Amino acid sequence: MRIIEYSCKDSRDNWSFDKISFNGLNLLVGASATGKTRLLNTISNLALFITGARKSAATVWSIIFEAEGCRYQWDLATDDKTDIAGKVIKEKLIRTAGGKRKVIIDRTSEKFVFDGKELPKLSATESGVFLLKEESLIKPVFNEFQFILRRNFWSDELKSLENYHMSDQKIEKGLDQEDTLEKLFKMKVGLSYQLWLLKKFLPEKFIRITEYFKNVFPSIEAVSFEDLTKLLPNIAALKEIPAFCIKEAGNNKLIPLHELSSGMQKVLMVITDLLTLPKGAIYMLDEYENSLGINAIDFLPELLNENDLENQIFITSHHPYLINKIPVENWIVFHRKAAKVSVMQGKELARKFEKSRQQAFLQLINEPFYKEGIE
Amino acid sequence: MNLYLVVEGAVVEVEAYKKWLTYVRPEMTLVSHISEIKDNNFSIISGYGYPQYYEVIKTAIEDVNRQGNIDRLLFIVDTESLTVAEKDREIRENVDIASCRADFRVVFQHFCIETWALANRRITPRQPQNQDLIEFRRAFDVLHEDPEELPDFPRRGWNRVKFAFRYLKLLLQERARLNYSKSNPEAILTEDYFNEIYARFKDTSHIRSFATFLDAVSTP
């Protein structure tokens, strides 16, 4: 899936995002508190609402996206300012394919029309896409919204990735088929087990990830998997618990994933994420650079450029190196007046910035729209 | 006439020259980027401090040469602990001024922009009540002595730049209940404030470095 255009308004706190056009790679920049993270929250919340994982209230979305060769326009509104489970008061899903336009869902509080036919009353607190996910017209849309991965680092993201798993036949069954990446994506297992599964079922991916990881941290001589019960004698298990370990130059001790520095963990996680995204998946990375040294930051633009990733990616950053290395065309600059967020598209800035040889980041921080980020 | 300004600071100088320049040259209009300079325009870029601004000024010379419609390039810097002559020497060692096809002018804020702001005689109370202000004034009276002569303030471990900043901040707070900071220089941006600095320059032999600004923005 690729999001082409997006706007959103949340009436509970009056925040609104004017229409934003997205590229394949999107670098969200702006002064602190201009709404970058909040934008990602609204997209995540939409995906969670659509997939039935969460209710919605008092929010209006308008989104245009492409999936499997079709273009969809979806307008969705939920009511109720106080309740976390508002009712859908408007939902319109239109598909355009091969120049033909088809209204798939046309719904109000009173009436629910699907593919031209009026339906009996259905749950008002669920999106039509969730309710009708088994229908062939809807299935592709529902599926696409399950492939959004959001990473942030203010929660226990890294802690949860440290979780180890016993090797499990049930999990591994079926992973040797074509859709291994899709299955792994949905599993959301700990990083160590994910890498172990990759080594077993997609060894080329595993080698690419670990080679990249070693390039970022040249002190790493080798990587391997050890049984955690042997590394930590106080742990007992019925089966092997594969623990991803590194061995550094001049030190014979194997260091398991949970003992790696948070910088190494973050880098390994982001490399693994980016190199194992299923086709069409969307990836969101929020202020990745926090508390990282430059060696753990500068690999990211290289990875994004070198691998010519086909997925849509959203990154928020304040880091000059990262910002300078990503083409201005891919920037989205945020500005907030009270609760209304507007953006300046990178293409607009690029026309101006290309006329000066000053570094792009320097021009950005001198740009009034950025500098006076909050009015 | 078109001007391009490379200033040292990120906020104070950018905001100050946006306003001050139009008080001297009301016919000039600010534009947000060098590429938007057309006719009677000026644009400001921050060099984000020493020594980063030397890279910015070198690139600014390239931009000015390529663009071709800029009459003067102003490089606005604090002298800090140096004399004007020493700062001038440092700039000539770091910047190939002759390569600039526009008229290259250095504006020396001797020794920082707060030094000029301290020259406003209306912000200095005749009988200060604040103990800190009494102490500052005992060390140096900016009302009667040249603010450019302000010394370090070793009792608090401040060099003269820091002393000038703290002195100005306290004066504005005491006299007008105005908050002055590096991120909020609003208090010194008004035309009245600018006129007071100009009057001090005209009426006395103080803040001589202010002439480098007036000369740099004067008509050819």
Side-chain angles (χ1 to χ4, degrees), chain B residues 119 121 194-208 210-211 214:
Chain B
R121 289 168 291 197
F194 178 80
N195 287 339
E196 285 299 323
I197 298 174
Y198 182 68
R200 178 77 173 266
F201 170 77
K202 287 273 283 179
D203 300 346
T204 69
S205 59
H206 299 163
I207 56 165
R208 288 299 92 192
F210 192 60
L214 296 174

Side-chain angles (χ1 to χ4, degrees), chain B residues 160-171:
Chain B
R160 62 179 178 173
V161 175
K162 191 155 189 192
F163 188 21
F165 173 77
R166 298 302 290 260
Y167 206 150
L168 178 67
K169 190 175 174 66
L170 192 53
L171 280 174

Side-chain angles (χ1 to χ4, degrees), chain A residues 200-212:
Chain A
K200 193 165 176 183
F201 294 101
L202 294 169
E204 284 159 20
K205 286 266 181 210
F206 176 76
I207 290 168
R208 205 157 155 225
I209 291 164
T210 50
E211 286 307 311
Y212 224 105

Side-chain angles (χ1 to χ4, degrees), chain A residues 23-42:
Chain A
N23 308 294
L25 172 61
N26 302 279
L27 176 70
L28 279 45
V29 292
S32 291
T34 47
K36 303 179 295 296
T37 297
R38 199 179 268 251
L39 175 84
L40 298 185
N41 289 344
T42 69

Side-chain angles (χ1 to χ4, degrees), chain A residues 344 349-359 361-372, chain B residues 4 10-11 14-15 18 32-36 44-48 52 55-56 59-60 62-63 66:
Chain A
M344 190 181 272
L349 277 181
R351 279 196 290 276
K352 192 155 84 168
F353 285 9
E354 70 189 12
K355 291 179 181 148
S356 168
R357 290 186 182 166
Q358 298 288 0
Q359 283 194 344
F361 179 74
L362 184 87
Q363 294 192 66
L364 174 69
I365 55 180
N366 274 284
E367 167 62 42
F369 189 82
Y370 171 92
K371 208 170 176 180
E372 295 148 20
Chain B
Y4 189 41
V11 178
V14 173
E15 297 306 318
K18 263 188 203 173
S32 70
H33 192 261
I34 184 173
S35 63
E36 292 165 356
I44 304 174
I45 187 166
S46 166
Y48 280 83
Q52 149 99 354
E55 291 310 311
V56 178
T59 313
E62 282 180 47
D63 283 351
R66 278 200 318 160

Side-chain angles (χ1 to χ4, degrees), chain A residues 175 180-188 194 197-198:
Chain A
L175 278 180
T180 309
L181 287 179
E182 284 80 358
K183 282 183 177 148
L184 276 174
F185 187 93
K186 284 186 183 172
M187 273 180 197
K188 297 190 169 38
Q194 187 188 358
L197 292 171
L198 283 167

Side-chain angles (χ1 to χ4, degrees), chain A residues 263-321:
Chain A
M264 275 190 176
Q265 287 180 340
K266 269 190 195 180
V267 170
L268 184 60
M269 184 190 77
V270 173
I271 293 173
T272 308
D273 283 347
L274 284 169
L275 294 181
T276 60
L277 284 175
K279 189 167 176 265
I282 288 178
Y283 188 59
M284 299 175 177
L285 192 54
D286 204 359
E287 291 189 20
Y288 157 80
E289 73 266 17
N290 284 351
S291 78
L292 286 185
I294 188 71
N295 59 328
I297 294 170
D298 60 8
F299 86 94
L300 186 60
E302 282 169 32
L303 180 62
L304 294 170
N305 292 331
E306 277 175 28
N307 287 282
D308 200 18
L309 298 161
E310 288 177 357
N311 300 81
Q312 189 170 36
I313 292 167
F314 297 84
I315 300 170
T316 71
S317 180
H318 294 283
H319 200 279
Y321 183 89

